[in-house]
Amino acid sequence: MNTGTDDLAARWAQIRRRVDDACREAGRAPAEVTILPVSKTFGPPLIRAAVALGLHRFGENKVQEIREKSAALADDGIDWVMIGHLQTNKARDVARLASEVQSLDRLELAAALHRQLQHAGRAIDVLVQVKTSSEPSKSGLPPAQLPSFLDALREYDTLRVHGLMTLATHSTEAAEVRGCFRLLRALRDQAVAQGHTLPRLSMGMSDDFPLAIAEGATEVRIGSAIFGARA
Ligand SMILES: *Cc1c(COP(=O)(O)O)cnc(C)c1O
């Protein structure tokens, strides 16, 4: 796949079709699943082409990229969604520039974001990233800590907690990948039973989104299947 703008429209239409098919296969309505285009590593021209297709929300995994792209695309009405590991000392930029953080995984970060958001006079949507995979390289809150973490977040009124996010194990074993998604949904269901409101489950990427949709994803984060292979 190339990374030009030419077949962006075709790839976007194709991924929407594949997501819709996965929904129907899972007995779900396509309207239940949102696609978050992940534009990490791709530059303003391609993102502008995506905006021209009607996309206005993009996932990024580095604060530096959000900083550069939000400056270059300031007039395009884009909502930047932070999906990557976030250092506490970058909370200020995120509080200024992002509309949403899906990678909230520790209290220290919640406190830093809250402080900066209070300064900025804003509130943002957040998802709690949970580590459902045993891979050491993956970040996220350990599942056992989720109940107390969600209780502690009630203190921060600038953080509107809407759900959970995870990355599945990178594996060709569908059962293993699916197990990660199933765990996230089970954790959500437990938290809801304890009184939390968590309608959103962000899970699934280009290679595993049908399994995530089968397990209840409300949002899939798609990069390479839309924008092409990353360098
Ligand atoms: C890069 C990335 C994605 C998208 O990955 P693709 O395989 O390109 O679809 C999704 N979620 C996170 C957290 C990412 O960093």
Side-chain angles (χ1 to χ4, degrees), residues 22-76:
C23 287
R24 278 187 282 269
E25 200 132 313
R28 303 180 58 199
E32 289 175 37
V33 180
T34 301
I35 300 173
L36 175 66
V38 176
S39 50
K40 66 185 185 194
T41 77
F42 295 102
L46 195 58
I47 297 173
R48 209 170 273 126
V51 170
L53 295 176
L55 311 188
H56 62 93
R57 214 173 141 248
F58 296 92
E60 291 283 344
N61 70 337
K62 292 202 170 82
V63 176
Q64 177 67 23
E65 282 192 61
I66 293 181
R67 216 187 282 132
E68 290 166 7
K69 293 175 193 178
S70 62
L73 298 161
D75 300 328
D76 291 85

Side-chain angles (χ1 to χ4, degrees), residues 99-107 109-111 113-114 117 122-130 141 145-165 184 187-188 191-192 195-202 218-219:
S99 68
E100 176 176 337
V101 172
Q102 298 199 351
S103 46
L104 181 64
D105 61 356
R106 59 198 194 281
L107 274 184
L109 177 60
L113 283 171
H114 177 65
L117 286 161
R122 307 179 58 210
I124 60 172
D125 294 342
V126 301
L127 304 183
V128 175
Q129 182 176 355
V130 179
L141 187 79
Q145 293 177 23
L146 185 63
S148 60
F149 189 75
L150 290 170
D151 286 339
L153 287 183
R154 292 186 192 273
E155 193 180 322
Y156 302 120
D157 59 3
T158 59
L159 304 177
R160 297 182 297 240
V161 185
H162 285 305
L164 307 179
M165 179 272 234
L184 195 73
L187 290 166
R188 191 274 307 271
V192 166
H196 295 282
T197 307
L198 301 170
R200 292 177 53 194
L201 286 178
S202 171
T218 64
E219 176 161 341

Side-chain angles (χ1 to χ4, degrees), residues 38 40 61 83 165 167 205-207 221-225 230:
V38 176
K40 66 185 185 194
N61 70 337
I83 60 172
M165 179 272 234
L167 281 102
M205 323 201 303
S206 293
D207 289 338
R221 306 177 308 270
I222 307 293
S224 49
R230 286 180 296 271

Side-chain angles (χ1 to χ4, degrees), residues 10-25:
R11 287 198 301 255
W12 170 247
Q14 189 193 40
I15 193 74
R16 187 64 247 186
R17 248 188 334 264
R18 291 175 61 206
V19 166
D20 291 357
D21 287 347
C23 287
R24 278 187 282 269
E25 200 132 313

